[in-house]
Amino acid sequence: MLSPLLLSTTVSAAALDSAALIASLAQPLPAKTTYFEQRESPLLAAPLQFSGVLERPQVGTLVKSVVQPYVERTVIADGRVSSEREGQPQRQFSLKRAPELVALTASFEAILSGDSNALRQQYRIDTLGDAEAWTLTLTPLEPRLAKRVLAIRLYGGLLGSQASLRCIDLDLAGAENSRMWIGELAATAMATSDASARAALCTAGPAKQAPVGAPEAANRSTGVKMARLPALPLQPGVPTAC
Amino acid sequence: MTPGRDPQAWNRGLYILLWLSLLAATGAWVSHGLRISGDLREFLPSPKTGNQRLLMQQAGDGPGSRLLLLALAGDSPDALAQHSRDLREALLGAPELLWISNGEEDLDTVPEALQDYRYLLSPGPGDGSLDADGLRQSMQQRLQDLASPAAALIAPLIARDPTLETLRLLEAWTPSREPLRFDGVWLSADSQHALLLVQTRAAGFDPTGQQAALARLRNAHADVLAESDDTAAKESRVVGPDISHRITLEISGPGAFAEHMAAQTRGEASTLGGIASAAMLLLLLFAYRSFSLPLLAALPLASGGIAGLAATAIGFGDVHGITLAFGFTLLGVAQDYPVHLLSHRHPGTCSRDTARAIWPTLAAGAGSSCIAYLIFLFAGVSALQQLAVFTIVGLATAALTTRYGMPFVLANTRDDVAEHRLPILIQRRFLQQRIPRWPVWILAGVCAAVIGLGNAPWWNDNLASLTPVPAELLQRDAELRAELGAPDVRWLLVLRAADVEQVLQRSEALRAELDNLVATKVVDGIDYAARYLPSAAVQTARQAQLPDAAALQANLQQALLDLPFKANAFDGFLAAVEQARQLPPLTPSGLIDTPLALRIESLLQTDAEAEPNARTLALFTLSGIQQPQVLAAWAATHADVDLLDLKQTAQSLAAEWRMRVLNAVAAAAVMLLLSMWVALGSWRRCVRVLIPVTLGTACVIAALHALAIPLTLFHLVSLVLATGIGVDYALFFERAGDDAKDQRRTLHAVLICSISTLLVFALLALSEIPVLRAIGLTVALSVVPHVLLSVWLATTPSASEETQ
């Protein structure tokens, strides 16, 4: 069951307080949402695009699953990352070895639990915009982390009368970055082929209200044009076009 | 003459102060520079055969001796696993440790220097990972890796190592037998313990190094506990309240045992030393009815002890712990000398004259012991040489200070011990009657019978019995070793060839058979150098198989078809493979300064004294041997492979040194005889003294044999000491002759000496440490026979009487 990031209390259109904003984004357990992610790397000529489900089944545990164009499930809990991909051995490592994951998980935890105190201790939080379209920029305070993670940006606005999170940007050192469209925007972003239009979704919000249940359908859609990633299961040496 | 007005009192006080300050200064200097070693190899003779040389190397410095096994217990498997991870994090990079392993596989443990060699060390390229198909598969996976959270780890590698050969290398280097894994971390089979393996930088028998490593481990454990307590306190509002489970750390291994031994020795030494000193003081107090005399009697003792220590420190630089213990037991013997002086003083003569009078006998007793110990200087065992130096210098100093130093500090006495009740009683009862000789002949007969007919084993060849480590600790160590797959300490496979390259090639040739041995469960795991370092031949062959620049470029282009990687993304990879094609093969010297260096070093040894085509040894450490006979049979089918039983080699070494020590003891006996003959001047007197001494020694040997105690080196060395004691008593009784007063004084002295010796050595015999037990038992058993027999000597007609 999809549940967009909603809250019972509304947020006023007055000047935004980041603590209140984050508190308003809180999500009851278990939380689950779809996402569409685009990832850029200096090694890649064209960005990677994939989509899946983000879950927070209990406090301190995050599960990120990729559903399209291949299947992978990653569990982040207790300082450990455990990743499984079809046809590959399970991979496990300590969260401490991946600073960007630490940053990302911390911000997710904060947002989904509505508690910005821990976040405030580790990041500088800048607020931009108003209730209709706001941007929270998190800059790491610890130098070691700051070397790797340049910034995390959270875009959001109003969905109906509730505050909602639209996009999450991750800026990493070395010209790597990723952008995630969350919730209903995921399907819309997947459907949009124009890069600038997709980018505008974060600041402008959904062009039309997506009917309940449609994101699920969008996830299953195969008519979406994606960057050419081979779909699974793979036959060795035989590339399959999407 | 009141003491206060006695001008001599001031002089005496001055001399005492002088003596004490000299002792204190020397003592401070010695203890400052003294190093105590715990290396049991110092008690073994120099090895003769190749296997014996290997044994010595292994015992001191081998891979087994540096390994510490850690077990965490006391909480749920989850908590234990977390603690294990935290502990490992805390210990990474500690200078005292070479590596620490708890089952987590760490991507960044392939050292920088070796990454260039990955295409030569890894079998991947040979399996086709650089072909077009192989590359395509890798590229597809890496693409997905870039999207996944694991990108954080893989991304830096992809550009230069897209086929992840470094990962494959790490997997190849993990041990073939591993404990159960829970959440990525080693756990015991019953899930009650988290297991870790640590290798220390210091060798197993380096006490300070091991101490530092153990301290580091315990501190890290305490830190992790404190941190997790903090976290629990912070989270306690979320996670329910509770019981703080205390996770305990258990450390096992040669280093831990050495620490245990050292602590035990120290503990026992101070307890026993304390009790013994107190008892002796009381005894002397009672015997001389004076407070100052017992304290003065301590001066020659202390001088002897400190002089002995100083001589050993100067001569050898360090002192073995057991030598130290033995040396101090000497004091139980050296205290005889001042006692003789004190007992022979009487009103009318000054101490100087008494000292001069008893000096010949004293010198004969001390001198013959010293000469007997001189033999051990040539026994070829370094710890025995230390022992000899300590004993000779200690005894000689004690005797000389008694003769020349004590008169300066002793006032003239008003007490004649010849008038004490006990000596008079004993003399009347025992000495003034003719005691028949036949009981002594019966004793001799019984001894001979026991020695000749007793069927207990004579010799103890088991070197392991020298360690005082309790059996349950050794048992636990064996269990942990079995769980962790740590190498066996007893069995070793040895391959001999001319040089490193040949040894590696032979190992590779045997790889299939070795894998078969593991597969058929003959052995749980085999570790050898060729697993980490392929031979130059194999590396060169792999090099030849690497595609050249053009072919690799073509393969890469085909692999990247339809994949969104940039065209030049993998230039680094192309350059790396091209570089690998030019590299000279990796040799052990190229591994220096990498973590692999120590592993290879301990698995490849050279034996400079072997014949040319067996100079290099490859060791195959075994873990979990299930069927030793099958293993032995397999080893027998290859001429250059040997299954080495280290225990049996150790026993053969022990048997050899036994011969040597026995010869030394026999020579010492002869020297004793000769030196006494020289001292006494007459053959007849000499024989008269030697009969009780020989019989006394025979009694001790018979008693030990009757108690079914197999003899070790330490029994033999203490036997020499015990004989020295017997000689001392016999000589004094012989000197007293028929003079009644002198007899009583000698009785007094001998009684005190024997009771205090018995006390000290009986206490030692109660020790937990086998070596101290051996020394204590031997000497304690010898006191009574020697006393009785030398008293009997006093009842037989002396030479002077017979000539009348």
Side-chain angles (χ1 to χ4, degrees), chain A residues 45-127:
Chain A
L48 282 175
Q49 294 174 348
F50 48 98
S51 67
V53 177
L54 263 180
E55 295 170 80
R56 183 172 179 249
Q58 63 208 43
V59 173
T61 309
L62 270 176
V63 179
K64 185 180 183 193
S65 313
V66 179
V67 172
Q68 277 272 5
Y70 59 92
V71 175
E72 183 189 68
R73 188 167 187 269
T74 308
V75 178
I76 304 177
D78 290 337
R80 305 284 299 166
V81 181
S82 172
S83 196
E84 246 176 83
R85 195 184 304 154
E86 201 176 312
Q88 293 291 310
Q90 191 197 49
R91 216 183 250 142
Q92 273 201 20
F93 56 95
S94 155
L95 193 56
K96 288 187 227 179
R97 292 177 54 200
E100 55 261 46
L101 276 186
V102 172
L104 214 51
T105 357
S107 48
F108 271 134
E109 245 330 278
I111 293 162
L112 293 173
S113 66
D115 174 20
S116 61
N117 287 329
L119 214 55
R120 208 170 296 283
Q121 281 169 3
Q122 298 191 354
Y123 301 89
R124 193 185 78 226
I125 308 181
D126 296 311
T127 327

Side-chain angles (χ1 to χ4, degrees), chain A residues 150-180:
Chain A
L150 299 176
I152 305 178
R153 264 183 299 276
L154 304 164
Y155 298 92
L158 288 176
L159 189 67
S161 53
Q162 269 87 344
S164 81
L165 185 65
R166 290 176 186 153
C167 298
I168 302 181
D169 257 8
L170 185 64
D171 272 350
L172 296 174
E176 285 178 45
N177 54 60
S178 79
R179 171 167 283 192
M180 258 194 270

Side-chain angles (χ1 to χ4, degrees), chain B residues 17 266 410 658:
Chain B
L17 266 176
R266 260 197 303 275
L410 282 178
R658 195 201 314 140

Side-chain angles (χ1 to χ4, degrees), chain B residues 284 286-289 339-340 342-344 415 417-418 420 422-423 426 733 742-754:
Chain B
L284 291 180
F286 175 69
Y288 294 109
R289 303 172 190 175
V339 165
H340 280 300
L342 291 176
S343 289
H344 279 89
D415 179 27
V417 305
H420 287 186
L422 194 56
I426 298 180
F733 271 116
D742 259 346
Q743 268 190 0
R744 289 203 292 272
R745 291 185 194 118
T746 307
L747 253 180
H748 186 261
V750 167
L751 269 177
I752 297 173
C753 293
S754 55

Side-chain angles (χ1 to χ4, degrees), chain B residues 285-360:
Chain B
L285 205 70
F286 175 69
Y288 294 109
R289 303 172 190 175
S290 150
F291 281 106
S292 62
L293 284 181
L295 296 173
L296 290 179
L299 285 172
L301 281 191
S303 313
I306 290 179
L309 253 186
T312 321
I314 294 175
F316 296 91
D318 66 359
V319 181
H320 194 279
I322 293 178
T323 307
L324 201 63
F326 189 88
F328 282 107
T329 65
L330 276 189
L331 301 187
V333 174
Q335 55 90 40
D336 285 6
Y337 306 146
V339 165
H340 280 300
L341 178 59
L342 291 176
S343 289
H344 279 89
R345 293 183 313 155
H346 46 270
T349 62
C350 63
S351 312
R352 198 160 293 142
D353 291 337
T354 317
R356 199 176 301 138
I358 64 168
W359 177 238

Side-chain angles (χ1 to χ4, degrees), chain B residues 233-253:
Chain B
K234 273 187 217 142
E235 291 174 358
S236 65
R237 54 184 178 81
V238 181
V239 174
D242 235 334
I243 311 167
S244 70
H245 296 267
R246 293 307 281 183
I247 298 184
T248 54
L249 174 68
E250 193 188 330
I251 310 180
S252 181

